[in-house]
Amino acid sequence: MKRSLLFAALCAAGMSAQAATITAMQDPGARPLLERLFENLTTAVDIDNDIRNVDYIGAIGDKVDEPVQAGLFENLVIRGAQSTQLTLARGIVLTSGSATSVPTTNTSSGYSWVAFTGGSNDIENITAGSPASGGRHSGELPSHDQNELSFRLAVPTGVTGIAARFVYASEEYPEFAGTSFADGFAFLVGGTNYAILPDGTPVSLMRDDSNIHFMPNGENGAAGAPLIVDLEYDGFTRILDIVAPLRGGTEEEFTIVISDTGDEIYDSAVFLSAFSFITGDNPIPTTQLGVKLSDDDYVEFD
């Protein structure tokens, strides 16, 4: 059961043809993460001069049996019905557990690493006041095992927004979706979280009545469900788009964070692609901000 502390410190098996490849990020300065996030913007952003105040909070495997909470991924494939599939080609992965020891089959309903990295005020502020929080206020719904990348970006003139694609995965699904144990993911720009669904629900607290295509992954996600991703998480979203506004010619603060919520067990992860800038003469309409389903021909299993 969920509330008993369960460790599943399993070693990664040999990668199958469909399994994502994850490379550990063990740099406390998080430069590999920044290089991957801005790899499509090298003509517009100089990492050494335009990105400042970089701070990374996360386990980097510098102690015995310590997880590595971040990495670079390639080829995250989501299989669908009727021979359809989605592929998030490359990006970064941040987890509340270990990014580089995830088995390539889903054989557990309670996969966990504990990173002992403390809690996230940002996640606690987002989860507080939600229906799943039971009316608790900020600071009363603790988070654990935070994995956070923050930095300030000198935004080029003429840029009005930033966009990326992501997949959110969680071992909390489906038993604890929409509860105080549903783990937290936030993408903040200027202190505002844009990892928000069209109905105003945080991605982190997806419920059956408000999620965007959060799908069970194999038998541990739901009885009879096919294995749609060759990784040990019980639920995966489809590929989602996220858009946040920027002010060209200014310096904007970014925080990307994921953490366990309510307790320190059962892991979640976000697979985030490289950034792209949005340019134009006018601000991005509010209706285009936040998280939307990517436009694709993917067919979900019944």
Side-chain angles (χ1 to χ4, degrees), residues 44 52 153-161 246-252 277:
R52 309 178 182 99
L153 171 68
V155 182
T157 302
V159 171
T160 58
L246 295 178
R247 297 166 297 162
T250 70
E251 191 171 272
E252 296 275 23
F277 282 147

Side-chain angles (χ1 to χ4, degrees), residues 7-11 26 59-69 97-101 111-116 145:
F7 292 90
L10 302 176
C11 294
Q26 296 180 282
I60 57 172
D62 56 352
K63 297 178 182 178
V64 176
D65 296 327
E66 184 180 71
V68 181
Q69 283 188 278
S98 181
T100 56
S101 298
Y111 180 73
S112 290
W113 283 82
V114 178
F116 302 106
D145 296 341

Side-chain angles (χ1 to χ4, degrees), residues 5-180:
L5 185 59
L6 174 63
F7 292 90
L10 302 176
C11 294
M15 294 291 180
S16 71
Q18 294 291 337
T21 301
I22 301 174
T23 304
M25 197 289 295
Q26 296 180 282
D27 178 358
R31 188 177 180 92
L33 300 184
L34 294 170
E35 289 176 344
R36 177 63 60 90
L37 285 175
F38 287 93
E39 66 181 4
N40 295 335
L41 299 172
T42 54
T43 59
V45 174
D46 181 338
I47 290 179
D48 292 317
N49 296 306
D50 296 331
I51 298 177
R52 309 178 182 99
N53 301 110
V54 178
D55 188 24
Y56 177 71
I57 301 172
I60 57 172
D62 56 352
K63 297 178 182 178
V64 176
D65 296 327
E66 184 180 71
V68 181
Q69 283 188 278
L72 310 179
F73 77 86
E74 311 274 347
N75 196 41
L76 180 67
V77 176
I78 305 172
R79 293 184 292 272
Q82 301 179 24
S83 300
T84 59
Q85 69 178 33
L86 303 174
T87 302
L88 196 61
R90 54 193 277 123
I92 72 168
V93 56
L94 303 178
T95 85
S96 63
S98 181
T100 56
S101 298
V102 183
T104 56
T105 57
N106 185 7
T107 59
S108 171
S109 61
Y111 180 73
S112 290
W113 283 82
V114 178
F116 302 106
T117 51
S120 165
N121 290 333
D122 290 317
I123 294 298
E124 291 171 11
N125 289 337
I126 290 164
T127 55
S130 71
S133 72
R136 281 171 278 214
H137 301 291
S138 179
E140 295 179 339
L141 187 60
S143 62
H144 306 267
D145 296 341
Q146 71 168 321
N147 187 6
E148 177 180 298
L149 173 65
S150 62
F151 56 89
R152 298 188 67 87
L153 171 68
V155 182
T157 302
V159 171
T160 58
I162 197 161
R165 298 187 127 189
F166 74 95
V167 169
Y168 182 66
S170 183
E171 197 74 355
E172 303 281 3
Y173 186 83
E175 303 97 318
F176 302 98
T179 75
S180 59

